[in-house]
Amino acid sequence: MTVSHPVLALGGALLTAAGHVWYVPALAELRAGTDRPLSRRTAAAACLSGWGATGAVAAVLLMSGTWRIPCAVAVAGTAVTAGLRLRAAVQHRREAREADRHWAQLARYGHRPPADPDRSRRTLAVLVASGLATALTTATLLLVTGVASAFTPD
């Protein structure tokens, strides 16, 4: 066994432990059962399988002397995760079409659909992008005009 196996195993274990910010909410989604749409539960299962695969690769790295088994575990975990995530996307599209049909039927009676849920995400993306563009423009102007050299120590 090479020295890199235990180091990579430790890194994988730490990465898996740090991933709790994703897999704990995913576990809660699954535990909620039919209170959540099927697409969200499938996406949560994909998240759990991905993080589980990361932990499994870390464990297998400690036990294996070759790269074949950890690579096989990683490939299998990636395939399962990708398959579940694609399935969740298809289910989400199907659920969105069904919701659109229902809102179209309700529109005949004067009901309107709720506001666009992606609006806040787009707003955040625009704010972050404009902040980055402003920072880049400011830094470029400071460098071009030579003002930035006044802030550097001699």
Side-chain angles (χ1 to χ4, degrees):
M1 176 165 46
T2 63
V3 176
S4 64
H5 277 95
V7 172
L8 289 175
L10 177 63
L14 290 174
L15 181 67
T16 303
H20 76 281
V21 297
W22 288 285
Y23 61 76
V24 170
L27 184 60
E29 287 280 331
L30 284 178
R31 290 191 46 102
T34 56
D35 287 346
R36 301 290 190 271
L38 183 59
S39 63
R40 285 181 57 177
R41 292 186 312 228
T42 306
C47 178
L48 288 173
S49 68
W51 284 107
T54 305
V57 168
V60 170
L61 276 170
L62 282 176
M63 296 182 279
S64 175
T66 67
W67 288 103
R68 286 186 182 152
I69 298 172
C71 288
V73 171
V75 167
T78 301
V80 169
T81 301
L84 285 170
R85 191 61 192 114
L86 287 172
R87 183 176 178 198
V90 169
Q91 290 169 339
H92 178 71
R93 277 191 229 109
R94 190 176 303 137
E95 291 165 355
R97 282 194 304 265
E98 182 181 357
D100 288 343
R101 262 194 326 271
H102 291 171
W103 280 109
Q105 290 173 353
L106 288 171
R108 291 186 279 177
Y109 303 106
H111 297 287
R112 291 183 298 160
D116 185 15
D118 290 331
R119 183 176 179 191
S120 61
R121 290 183 185 154
R122 284 192 300 269
T123 303
L124 177 66
V126 166
L127 288 174
V128 169
S130 62
L132 289 173
T134 302
L136 179 65
T137 304
T138 304
T140 304
L141 287 174
L142 287 175
L143 288 172
V144 168
T145 59
V147 177
S149 62
F151 295 109
T152 59
D154 292 327

